[in-house]
Amino acid sequence: MNISYNWLKQFLHIDWPAKKTAELLTDLGLEVEGITTFESVPGGLEGVVVGHVLSCEKHPNADKLKLTLVDIGQDEPLQIVCGAPNVAKGQKVPVATIGTTLHPKLGDPLTIKKGKIRGEESHGMICAEDELGLGGDHSGIMVLPESLMAGTPCSKVFEIETDEVFEIGLTPNRADAMSHYGVARDLRAGLKQREIVKELITPSVSKFNVDNRSLRMEVEVENKALAPRYCGVTLKNLIVEPSPDWLKNRLRAIGITPKNNLVDATNYVLHELGQPLHAFDADRIYGKKIVVKTVPAGTKFMTLDGEERILHEEDLMICDGEKPMCIAGVFGGINTGVTENTTSIFLESAYFDPIAIRKTAKRHGLNTDASFRFERGIDIDTVEYALKRAALLIKEIAGGNISSDVVDLYPIKQSGHQVFLSFAKINKLVGQEIPPDTIKSILASLEIQVKNVTESGLGLTIPPYRVDVQREVDVIEEILRIYGYNNIEFQEKLHASIAPISNLEDHRLQSIIGAQLASVGYFEILTNSLTSPKYLTGASDIKTEESILILNPLSEELSVLRQSMLFNGLEAVSFNSNRRKQNLKLFEFGNTYHRFNTVREERKHLSLIVTGNRTEDSWAVVNRRSDFFYLKSIVESVLLRLGIGVTASFPVDNKIFAEGLVLQAQNRNLVEFGTVQNTILKMFDLKHEVLFADFDWDNVKALAGNNDIVYKDITKYPEVKRDFALLLDDSVTYKEVYELALQTERKYLKDMSLFDVYTGDTLQKGKKSYAISFTLGDEKNTLTDKQIDKIMKNLQGRYEQVLKAELR
């Protein structure tokens, strides 16, 4: 939000430098993020002086150029080549001297340099109105009054306003400070706390008077809950023209482009007092009737930007006798707005329900100065005052007269709500005692009334415009920001207790696993819990009826809470893939959201997404593609790190996977992982294989650390290895081979591994070959050859007997 310092000084007569004022505003909670300088004429005409044309001759080498000699108050006159048709001897003209930078109305800044034009030297530039930034005329040079002295700076000839503009990072709760008046009100309170008493000067409306009653407008509010207060008045015989310079400068300083005097007046009052206003062309109001109501869903309405919008049944509209004219508090209509031919208006000032305005603005994707204020809550008591202020301003700059009484429909008066403020609570939260008299003074400066005083505290009435002050702690916050956070003393000692924290706390487990994954090349991502409803359909097990929809989504793409971590992850993969980042290893901790009948459930997950090569290209490493078994090793390493032993595994039954596994422990699903279906990848325009693992983090966390770690001495006796090449039926799994070996030899078999699988043409159809390595050992003695041979013979016999295996 931009605040003009010159404008602010109209409310408070303060002579502080802008920087000092900015520091106080920041201390008051209105953080000034920057200060910029505004000049009504860019550059301030620095380097431009009054020149007296001593002679004007035809250029010897150009028909359309003139060779002039110009006195600018220096020892010697300047020779300047000029192409303007109206330059003549004896004129007083604006001259831009060498080194001056001009800021023309159109085009880039221009720096004046010494040069030659068609063979003749030119030591400056005689300027036109648009070249100085004073207007749009480029028909010829600007001729100044003859009374001016040569050499006079043009900055003294023209009224150039210089202003300093505060850029305030306003927090959403401070609706009361969304105007120059609101900022001045806070500034006065801060100055008073520093024993600088300043009067808060507000624009007078004492001269408001009804000139005649020749244009009466009937006003009806059908939905009083959505429009608790609605005011209006008419004005006639207006002349639409450009606003006076002072008004245009005020608006330009805060970044608003002036349009015409009627529109500018409403914008001026909006930023002056924080009250949005709207002017309707009274001649276009059918039946001379205003009706504030909702209209049927599907009604079409064209707004000022020329876009046709489909109205919702809850959109509050300002209508005339037959049609909608304006989306209340949000945006005007194209058919009843002020034009250059407007001569009479109906001027509206109202208080609309903040929630209704916010919903309407979000539904239609609109964010206007009016909706920005209405949806945060304005001062309902300022509605009529702002209307009169705007009407008087319009009379001043557009002529005309006030042609009706003020209509003020305010059936249920709003009063400030009551809060009891405990002195003990203040001292507890602040950390030091603030004198009661200081507290009362601060409250008075904030227009918070003290209704009663007791030994324990104060009974307060909060003004309606302070929509953010609802509780006792809110009042304490107000007191503290005016008293000054910098005035709170710090104790030399800090007393604190250290609470014991388990190593199995969720954040610690996440940190452990996050560090482990990062150490093997994974990158953590954080995606939005909001996602697109298009992911609810297609090749997945997501059920539409279990979805939780957002009532007022920012967009269609963010209108539902996610039920799976997969799709946000695939969006990240697609984003990187489109930027030639093909080798990805990503992980994310996040939640999914589900609705089961009337019960809503939130589940925590750890997801892994892998695609491309395992490592980036390097001369030192032979690159391998990430595959199912690579992901399986990562999944198992995560569970192993948390001390969880897998007790069961079976094929995954989830449509997002083309193939995959589910791992269990103690009858709880720990993780599903596998290869993502191609039909899902096509939704993201991904053509390469993507692997996905989804940990049920709540189950993982519940089982983490349950396995006791057992330590044992390293055996003193050597282990031996023996290999088998077994010819097996295709239907036999390695799991069966592994479990049969453990059943056959429990005492001496320490480990076994599958190091090769062969299914070549040299084998019989339906056969495969497993190359298996067995590690044997005894913790008490060295195994003899006889013992080893006996063990291997027993294993061979069991494989032949049970699995019908053959030794190759």
Side-chain angles (χ1 to χ4, degrees):
M1 182 182 71
N2 292 331
I3 294 293
S4 157
Y5 199 18
N6 288 349
W7 201 342
L8 202 60
K9 290 176 181 177
Q10 293 178 199
F11 293 97
L12 285 175
H13 290 161
I14 182 173
D15 57 0
W16 281 10
K19 185 176 181 181
K20 186 176 180 181
T21 302
E23 290 173 355
L24 177 53
L25 288 173
T26 299
D27 288 344
L28 294 171
L30 303 177
E31 183 182 1
V32 177
E33 299 174 341
I35 303 175
T36 57
T37 299
F38 167 79
E39 293 172 321
S40 58
V41 178
L45 298 183
E46 184 178 350
V48 181
V49 298
V50 175
H52 182 202
V53 182
L54 301 178
S55 66
C56 180
E57 306 290 342
K58 182 178 178 297
H59 193 291
N61 302 317
D63 292 337
K64 294 184 179 181
L65 298 179
K66 304 284 182 64
L67 198 61
T68 65
L69 206 59
V70 184
D71 176 15
I72 62 168
Q74 297 180 351
D75 295 337
E76 297 290 335
L78 302 179
Q79 178 175 287
I80 299 176
V81 176
C82 180
N86 65 327
V87 64
K89 179 180 178 180
Q91 291 175 335
K92 296 291 177 66
V93 294
V95 177
T97 56
I98 292 173
T100 298
T101 299
L102 298 178
H103 299 266
K105 281 288 184 182
L106 298 174
D108 298 327
L110 172 66
T111 300
I112 306 303
K113 301 177 181 178
K114 177 183 176 181
K116 279 189 177 183
I117 301 177
R118 293 293 185 93
E120 295 292 336
E121 289 188 355
S122 185
H123 297 268
M125 178 178 174
I126 303 175
C127 301
E129 182 181 279
D130 67 328
E131 292 166 337
L132 295 174
L134 294 171
D137 187 7
H138 192 69
S139 60
I141 61 166
M142 195 173 189
V143 180
L144 304 176
E146 294 184 3
S147 59
L148 295 175
M149 295 290 294
T152 303
C154 283
S155 58
K156 295 182 179 180
V157 176
F158 301 96
E159 292 184 4
I160 299 175
E161 181 175 351
T162 300
D163 197 358
E164 288 169 295
V165 181
F166 303 120
E167 184 182 343
I168 295 179
L170 194 67
T171 53
N173 63 307
R174 291 302 308 277
D176 62 296
M178 292 188 295
S179 65
H180 286 76
Y181 173 65
V183 173
R185 186 167 48 198
D186 254 23
L187 187 57
R188 180 193 60 170
L191 291 170
K192 185 178 179 181
Q193 177 61 24
R194 287 151 182 79
E195 300 182 350
I196 303 173
V197 179
K198 293 287 183 181
E199 180 186 0
L200 186 61
I201 305 167
T202 55
S204 173
V205 294
S206 60
K207 294 183 179 180
F208 182 88
N209 183 56
V210 178
D211 298 309
N212 58 66
R213 293 174 175 81
S214 59
L215 182 57
R216 296 187 179 184
M217 200 72 63
E218 181 186 351
V219 179
E220 178 186 355
V221 177
E222 289 188 4
N223 197 322
K224 296 177 177 59
L226 299 184
R229 188 174 190 182
Y230 190 88
C231 292
V233 71
T234 63
L235 292 93
K236 289 182 64 175
N237 303 320
L238 303 171
I239 300 174
V240 178
E241 58 186 4
S243 298
D245 288 342
W246 70 265
L247 177 52
K248 289 194 285 189
N249 288 339
R250 286 285 180 269
L251 296 178
R252 285 174 179 150
I254 60 174
I256 295 176
T257 303
K259 294 179 176 62
N260 59 58
N261 49 3
L262 298 187
V263 175
D264 293 348
T266 59
N267 281 332
Y268 182 87
V269 175
L270 166 68
H271 291 278
E272 180 185 51
L273 302 176
Q275 172 65 48
L277 302 139
H278 190 74
F280 299 91
D281 190 325
D283 294 332
R284 298 186 183 183
I285 300 177
Y286 181 81
K288 296 297 180 277
K289 183 177 182 179
I290 300 291
V291 184
V292 183
K293 64 179 182 178
T294 55
V295 297
T299 301
K300 295 181 179 180
F301 178 70
M302 186 167 291
T303 46
L304 280 169
D305 56 0
E307 185 172 334
E308 186 176 74
R309 302 181 187 276
I310 307 300
L311 300 179
H312 188 271
E313 65 217 19
E314 295 180 359
D315 292 338
L316 187 65
M317 303 297 295
I318 312 300
C319 307
D320 62 13
E322 67 172 10
K323 64 185 182 302
M325 300 189 298
C326 173
I327 303 177
V330 181
F331 210 22
I334 199 168
N335 294 320
T336 55
V338 170
T339 68
E340 59 183 11
N341 299 318
T342 298
T343 58
S344 59
I345 63 170
F346 173 76
L347 187 61
E348 168 197 275
S349 179
Y351 178 94
F352 298 118
D353 178 68
I355 296 175
I357 297 301
R358 179 169 178 79
K359 287 182 177 179
T360 295
K362 292 300 179 186
R363 266 193 294 268
H364 297 290
L366 294 169
N367 183 21
T368 62
D369 283 338
S371 68
F372 181 80
R373 286 159 176 78
F374 276 127
E375 66 188 32
R376 285 162 175 78
I378 61 170
D379 185 1
I380 197 169
D381 292 334
T382 306
V383 171
E384 184 185 16
Y385 167 68
L387 179 71
K388 292 179 177 180
R389 163 64 172 152
L392 289 173
L393 180 59
I394 289 172
K395 277 189 67 176
E396 176 187 338
I397 63 177
N401 45 65
I402 297 173
S403 52
S404 74
D405 292 309
V406 171
V407 177
D408 185 4
L409 302 182
Y410 190 15
I412 302 176
K413 300 291 188 293
Q414 291 190 12
S415 58
H417 61 279
Q418 310 299 312
V419 172
F420 181 77
L421 179 64
S422 166
F423 292 135
K425 184 76 169 180
I426 297 174
N427 298 336
K428 180 181 178 181
L429 291 183
V430 173
Q432 73 181 49
E433 185 175 349
I434 299 177
D437 288 341
T438 301
I439 293 173
K440 294 177 188 176
S441 175
I442 291 174
L443 292 173
S445 69
L446 292 171
E447 301 179 0
I448 297 176
Q449 297 180 17
V450 179
K451 288 297 185 181
N452 56 73
V453 181
T454 66
E455 290 185 2
S456 60
L458 306 172
L460 307 175
T461 300
I462 311 299
Y465 68 82
R466 289 312 307 268
V467 295
D468 61 320
V469 181
Q470 302 291 326
R471 305 164 298 167
E472 182 183 22
V473 290
D474 298 328
V475 178
I476 295 173
E477 182 185 357
E478 291 297 295
I479 294 170
L480 188 54
R481 71 180 183 84
I482 301 299
Y483 182 76
Y485 290 99
N486 296 333
N487 295 325
I488 303 300
E489 298 176 357
F490 289 92
Q491 296 182 354
E492 294 182 359
K493 293 183 179 179
L494 179 64
H495 301 281
S497 59
I498 300 174
I501 300 176
S502 168
N503 286 330
L504 301 179
E505 289 287 336
D506 187 23
H507 70 279
R508 288 200 169 188
L509 294 179
Q510 289 189 39
S511 179
I512 289 169
I513 297 305
Q516 176 174 324
L517 291 170
S519 70
V520 291
Y522 280 73
F523 289 90
E524 184 170 11
I525 60 174
L526 182 62
T527 61
N528 202 331
S529 295
L530 299 174
T531 188
S532 172
K534 68 184 179 183
Y535 301 144
L536 298 178
T537 59
S540 71
D541 285 341
I542 295 177
K543 298 178 181 178
T544 304
E545 62 272 15
E546 294 180 5
S547 301
I548 299 176
L549 304 179
I550 305 301
L551 292 178
N552 296 299
L554 294 173
S555 68
E556 182 67 17
E557 295 298 309
L558 298 172
S559 61
V560 63
L561 287 167
R562 66 186 175 194
Q563 289 190 56
S564 171
M565 302 286 288
L566 172 64
F567 300 102
N568 299 75
L570 290 178
E571 287 177 350
V573 172
S574 177
F575 181 89
N576 283 273
S577 180
N578 291 337
R579 287 153 183 80
R580 298 187 179 181
K581 298 290 184 182
Q582 305 292 344
N583 304 323
L584 299 172
K585 294 188 287 186
L586 310 174
F587 74 95
E588 178 181 13
F589 290 97
N591 296 330
T592 59
Y593 308 86
H594 312 265
R595 183 182 62 195
F596 304 107
N597 296 323
T598 59
V599 179
R600 295 182 179 183
E601 187 174 308
E602 187 173 332
R603 298 172 180 171
K604 194 149 197 173
H605 296 259
L606 164 63
S607 65
L608 309 180
I609 288 191
V610 181
T611 186
N613 294 331
R614 301 184 187 185
T615 59
E616 296 296 334
D617 292 337
S618 170
W619 64 270
V621 178
V622 176
N623 235 330
R624 296 174 62 189
R625 297 287 293 178
S626 299
D627 56 16
F628 174 84
F629 296 102
Y630 166 73
L631 180 62
K632 181 173 181 286
S633 69
I634 297 297
V635 167
E636 290 175 340
S637 70
V638 168
L639 297 176
L640 182 63
R641 180 67 181 84
L642 295 175
I644 300 175
V646 175
T647 57
S649 65
F650 47 84
V652 68
D653 182 19
N654 190 325
K655 291 181 181 178
I656 67 173
F657 295 107
E659 57 181 355
L661 285 178
V662 178
L663 302 186
Q664 278 190 348
Q666 299 182 22
N667 292 322
R668 295 190 185 190
N669 285 359
L670 299 175
V671 57
E672 295 180 348
F673 64 96
T675 306
V676 179
Q677 287 276 14
N678 285 333
T679 50
I680 294 178
L681 298 182
K682 287 178 181 178
M683 297 169 62
F684 300 88
D685 198 26
L686 295 173
K687 298 179 174 61
H688 44 274
E689 184 180 66
V690 176
L691 303 158
F692 175 65
D694 184 15
F695 289 83
D696 187 323
W697 189 252
D698 292 321
N699 286 343
V700 169
K701 185 173 62 174
L703 298 178
N706 287 346
N707 289 354
D708 293 332
I709 298 175
V710 178
Y711 299 90
K712 59 181 181 180
D713 292 334
I714 298 175
T715 180
K716 299 177 183 179
Y717 303 99
E719 295 178 338
V720 295
K721 288 190 175 184
R722 293 290 187 271
D723 298 337
F724 272 170
L726 298 176
L727 187 64
L728 301 160
D729 292 337
D730 274 342
S731 60
V732 177
T733 65
Y734 176 69
K735 181 180 179 182
E736 294 176 275
V737 175
Y738 180 82
E739 290 178 348
L740 185 58
L742 292 180
Q743 294 170 11
T744 304
E745 182 53 61
R746 292 182 177 274
K747 184 176 180 180
Y748 297 122
L749 181 59
K750 303 301 181 184
D751 191 20
M752 62 180 291
S753 63
L754 175 67
F755 63 87
D756 187 42
V757 178
Y758 178 67
T759 56
D761 295 336
T762 58
L763 300 181
Q764 300 176 33
K765 187 176 181 180
K767 296 288 186 177
K768 62 184 176 184
S769 174
Y770 276 179
I772 304 172
S773 176
F774 300 89
T775 302
L776 307 174
D778 186 356
E779 296 176 1
K780 297 181 179 180
N781 296 291
T782 300
L783 290 175
T784 64
D785 290 339
K786 187 176 180 180
Q787 288 176 301
I788 295 170
D789 292 341
K790 183 179 179 182
I791 293 169
M792 297 305 296
K793 190 173 182 179
N794 289 340
L795 288 172
Q796 179 183 346
R798 289 287 289 169
Y799 284 143
E800 291 173 348
Q801 180 184 356
V802 177
L803 301 179
K804 309 302 181 187
E806 297 178 22
L807 196 62
R808 293 184 68 197

